[in-house]
Amino acid sequence: MRNLLTLALALIGSSTLVASAQISNYAPVTDARLLNPEPGNWLSYRGNYSNWGYSPLTQITSANVSRLRPVWAFSTGETAGHEAPAIVNNGVMFITAPNNGLYALNAKTGQQLWQYKREIPEDLVTCCDIVNRGVALYGDMVLMGTLDAHVLAFNAKTGKIIWDRTIEDYKKRYTITSAPLVADGKIITGIHGGEYGVRGFLEALDPKTGKTIWKTYTTVNGSYPAGGAETGGASTWVTGSYDPGTKTVYWGTSNPSPWIDPRAKESDDRKWSSSVLAFDVKTGKIKTGFQYSPNDVWDFDGVNEQILIDTVVNGKTMKSIVSAHRNGYLYLLDRANGGLKYVDAHKFIRSTVYQSIDKNGRPVWNPQARPAVGKQASACPSLLGGKNWNPAAYSPLTKLVYIPSNESCMTIKGSQVKYAAGEAYIGAESDITTAPGLNHIGKLQAVDPVTGKQVWAQTFNSLLWGGVLTTGGNLVFTGSSDDRNFNAFDAKTGKKLWSFKTNSGVIGVPVSFQVEGKQYVGVYSGFGGVAGFFNSGVGAKTKDIPTGGVFWVFALD
């Protein structure tokens, strides 16, 4: 685990803006457009408020995807992990890169329109790698979070900064790695830093000024050991989803800090760590929450994307949340009227940490797999999770979710730790291994979200760390790491239909868009992130992957 906390020191030159070309006829991104995004654009992190990762475009299909060819590529010159999706608005693409880089490109040709790089303080420290996961668009602005915990608003046409807001003190190890969410006329951002004893929160900003509209902490006094909530983690480092019908923002939270706290009683759930919370978008009030892993000791963050869909359960249509988690379970929750009610959960990978899950969704721990201070335990999955941050996707055509999962195990042991501002605050040591008896690590799975039944699966030799895209052309796209491939699969059968060998391991989030009537698919290749921190065990097959970020764009020949 020590490697996980390798200090990612990021030092570049002074903040710079370089404008190369003019952007004319830029189409402002309105609330109405975000509510009903046009098929040809990709206006937000997962394409829509429901976090589907789905493009309705149909030009590229399972019948012709074999004709997909690269049409342009863009190198960032950075060697850390490239995990961002592109955001595309009427032919203008915005992509972020590690080290606080932001680029505006012509989405058809790849021509650079402007770029920005932000100076990072020499004493900045973060876990895990110096990644950035994209931007949000609103009006004529591009919104970006930074490693030194600022949110910046840029003029989309020129790249000039409109406002720069400090969200928190980076010296306390607050950072921002996720894309903001624009909802109900507000810019909503989460924060990162759960391995350093930060107190998690979600904050909504005024898009005109960057000033705070509301700020809500995600740890609850009384649920932690005395004083523990102030340094209790529950950070909010992956972009949430939004239900406009109930004005509810759904956002996940990270592990508690420390992971293993010897002061915690068995009844201390350490809420709301490792949870999903329902926020009133107007006030920021937490309406309710569901805790995936109460009093978590395995680093099973609950930040993974909440996919909002309608399901049919016992013959009745239900407003649902589907979410695949680090603990190895795919959850189905009822979100009627902005609520959160447990319905069911199914294992999607090997998981030994729970004996069962009760009718309210509360897990019954497996005592053999639960570590403590001085007690080593063996557990599956490892802290990398059955699925990590890299988003699953949903297709309204097949009504399946496509989960980028991984099989791994670990030994983990608690250790004494004392909080000190700016220092790692974990209280555990661990060693990650491959899962015994399996000849694969990564697995892309198509799963029925109601029954948990696996419809098809494709396995991979090494970690599957990229996001997933589904399309109206009956396709599923994702990248793999050790073979450096970007792949397309038949959404119904799982048959591999196409692949392209890129420059590095693919851990980006693919998107699809249209310019002048032509459909494109784009993805970052650039291995790194926490997946690049391991040289043995699960990392044995990825340690020699070449690094360096390139954004690839493909179209039919």
Side-chain angles (χ1 to χ4, degrees):
M1 183 58 217
R2 185 169 299 165
N3 283 341
L4 264 179
L5 292 175
T6 297
L7 304 186
L9 300 176
L11 173 63
I12 61 173
S14 58
S15 300
T16 56
L17 167 66
V18 177
S20 307
Q22 295 293 316
I23 298 176
S24 58
N25 300 320
Y26 184 80
V29 176
T30 62
D31 293 303
R33 292 185 68 202
L34 290 170
L35 280 169
N36 295 290
E38 307 89 359
N41 287 314
W42 195 274
L43 296 180
S44 58
Y45 178 63
R46 295 299 286 147
N48 64 19
Y49 277 141
S50 297
N51 268 345
W52 285 6
Y54 170 75
S55 168
L57 295 175
T58 57
Q59 202 172 86
I60 303 169
T61 70
S62 52
N64 63 22
V65 69
S66 62
R67 292 169 38 212
L68 211 56
R69 302 285 186 271
V71 292
W72 61 263
F74 181 84
S75 173
T76 68
E78 299 288 347
T79 56
H82 287 64
E83 298 183 345
I87 304 297
V88 182
N89 179 25
N90 283 10
V92 182
M93 174 182 290
F94 301 94
I95 55 173
T96 60
N99 265 329
N100 285 345
L102 170 61
Y103 302 89
L105 306 173
N106 181 314
K108 179 182 177 182
T109 66
Q111 178 192 9
Q112 180 177 295
L113 304 173
W114 56 261
Q115 68 161 303
Y116 172 81
K117 283 208 170 185
R118 180 179 182 78
E119 181 179 2
I120 298 178
E122 292 185 42
D123 56 347
L124 187 144
V125 177
T126 185
C127 171
C128 304
D129 205 355
I130 50 176
V131 302
N132 184 285
R133 300 188 181 89
V135 298
L137 304 182
Y138 194 50
D140 287 336
M141 294 187 296
V142 182
L143 292 311
M144 173 188 178
T146 68
L147 288 168
D148 52 344
H150 287 231
V151 171
L152 308 179
F154 298 87
N155 183 310
K157 300 176 185 176
T158 66
K160 293 182 179 178
I161 292 177
I162 300 171
W163 51 258
D164 176 347
R165 169 70 203 289
T166 303
I167 300 300
E168 252 296 353
D169 184 356
Y170 75 86
K171 293 183 180 180
K172 295 179 182 177
R173 307 309 178 216
Y174 285 95
T175 61
I176 299 176
T177 56
S178 57
L181 172 71
V182 176
D184 195 48
K186 303 174 182 65
I187 313 302
I188 302 173
T189 184
I191 54 93
H192 179 278
E195 269 64 43
Y196 295 94
V198 304
R199 186 180 191 189
F201 62 84
L202 200 64
E203 184 162 349
L205 311 178
D206 184 326
K208 293 182 180 178
T209 64
K211 293 182 178 178
T212 301
I213 296 175
W214 52 256
K215 178 178 180 177
T216 302
Y217 287 102
T218 53
T219 62
V220 180
N221 287 312
S223 186
Y224 279 75
E230 299 299 321
T231 55
S235 63
T236 47
W237 61 274
V238 174
T239 306
S241 50
Y242 176 55
D243 182 349
T246 60
K247 302 289 185 184
T248 305
V249 171
Y250 292 99
W251 209 291
T253 64
S254 79
N255 55 276
S257 296
W259 299 355
I260 299 175
D261 189 340
R263 302 170 301 170
K265 302 187 296 290
E266 196 165 301
S267 58
D268 286 336
D269 286 345
R270 298 197 280 173
K271 289 181 175 176
W272 289 104
S273 64
S274 303
S275 303
V276 53
L277 299 175
F279 296 86
D280 184 313
V281 74
K282 292 192 177 299
T283 66
K285 180 182 178 181
I286 296 176
K287 297 179 178 180
T288 187
F290 175 78
Q291 196 166 31
Y292 297 107
S293 299
N295 198 3
D296 170 56
V297 294
W298 298 279
D299 190 26
F300 287 160
D301 293 41
V303 295
N304 290 356
E305 69 288 344
Q306 324 296 328
I307 300 175
L308 312 186
I309 58 174
D310 287 350
T311 58
V312 178
V313 178
N314 297 325
K316 295 182 179 179
T317 300
M318 184 177 77
K319 296 290 185 185
S320 306
I321 286 178
V322 175
S323 195
H325 275 274
R326 281 200 197 185
N327 60 18
Y329 287 81
L330 176 67
Y331 287 81
L332 178 64
L333 306 177
D334 184 343
R335 62 177 172 88
N337 303 314
L340 285 168
K341 183 180 178 182
Y342 173 80
V343 177
D344 211 345
H346 301 275
K347 285 185 186 180
F348 63 91
I349 51 93
R350 181 182 302 184
S351 182
T352 63
V353 292
Y354 303 152
Q355 291 181 331
S356 61
I357 295 179
D358 73 15
K359 64 179 182 180
N360 297 312
R362 188 179 182 85
V364 178
W365 300 329
N366 173 2
Q368 302 298 319
R370 189 171 176 83
V373 173
K375 175 192 172 185
Q376 178 170 293
S378 298
C380 307
S382 75
L383 58 88
L384 294 176
K387 180 190 156 304
N388 208 284
W389 71 274
N390 44 321
Y394 170 74
S395 169
L397 304 180
T398 63
K399 300 191 184 305
L400 301 175
V401 290
Y402 299 87
I403 305 171
S405 62
N406 289 292
E407 297 274 7
S408 66
C409 299
M410 65 179 170
T411 56
I412 181 168
K413 181 180 180 181
S415 58
Q416 294 289 349
V417 64
K418 185 177 180 180
Y419 174 76
E423 301 293 328
Y425 191 47
I426 292 176
E429 299 173 351
S430 62
D431 185 29
I432 300 174
T433 64
T434 55
L438 296 180
N439 59 5
H440 69 273
I441 297 174
K443 182 193 286 187
L444 176 65
Q445 306 182 52
V447 179
D448 184 315
V450 176
T451 66
K453 179 184 177 182
Q454 179 183 289
V455 177
W456 59 258
Q458 287 276 358
T459 59
F460 300 82
N461 290 328
S462 61
L463 286 168
L464 192 58
W465 211 254
V468 181
L469 167 72
T470 59
T471 76
N474 186 40
L475 292 168
V476 177
F477 290 90
T478 195
S480 43
S481 52
D482 63 329
D483 60 12
R484 300 184 281 120
N485 284 339
F486 183 48
N487 310 295
F489 303 93
D490 184 296
K492 295 177 182 175
T493 67
K495 182 181 179 181
K496 187 175 180 178
L497 301 174
W498 171 86
S499 69
F500 177 84
K501 195 166 293 297
T502 68
N503 56 296
S504 180
V506 179
I507 61 170
V509 180
V511 303
S512 189
F513 55 92
Q514 193 173 49
V515 182
E516 298 176 1
K518 191 177 186 68
Q519 183 182 357
Y520 299 84
V521 176
V523 70
Y524 254 137
S525 175
F527 191 68
V530 73
F533 279 45
F534 305 96
N535 292 319
S536 61
V538 294
K541 296 176 181 175
T542 59
K543 63 184 176 63
D544 296 324
I545 295 175
T547 56
V550 175
F551 194 83
W552 293 87
V553 173
F554 304 87
L556 296 177
D557 60 13

